[in-house]
Amino acid sequence: MKDKDYQLPKQKQNPKKNLKPGLSTDVPSFDYKGAFFIVLELFVILNVIPMICVALHIPPGWPTTILGGIISGFTVAYNQKKVERFSRTFWWITALVSLVIGAIIYLLFFRGVML
């Protein structure tokens, strides 16, 4: 047998390589760029959108709530590494995160926590 013919056996890839110790499910992860993008969009939602609404003489509550929920949902779903872009799971995550963040922003603006 010649050296050229010999091939090392291929290692089996562990499908659960990203598991944290003690967890039985794969946890979605973010990298630093994704985390920075999420912080940037939160800044835009909580500062820029209300400033634009005030400049246009529009009450900032509802536009910030609606746009903030939608933008947050897309940002979080887009930055997850385990979700294929624009698949059914992507849209479910977008919808759920949009509703949750929209409800939080609603509570901040309309229940007197902010402004």
Side-chain angles (χ1 to χ4, degrees), residues 27-92:
V27 179
S29 61
F30 295 99
D31 56 356
Y32 289 112
K33 186 169 58 171
F36 174 74
F37 193 56
I38 291 172
V39 170
L40 182 66
E41 66 90 14
L42 285 174
F43 174 79
V44 168
I45 289 169
L46 296 177
N47 292 312
V48 175
I49 293 176
M51 287 173 35
I52 291 172
C53 290
V54 169
L56 296 174
H57 303 292
I58 300 171
W62 284 113
T64 304
T65 301
I66 294 168
L67 291 174
I70 294 170
I71 293 170
S72 295
F74 274 109
T75 304
V76 171
Y78 188 79
N79 282 316
Q80 285 191 351
K81 298 296 180 192
K82 300 295 174 201
V83 178
E84 186 177 328
R85 304 288 194 271
F86 304 111
S87 64
R88 178 176 278 182
T89 306
F90 174 85
W91 293 113
W92 275 106

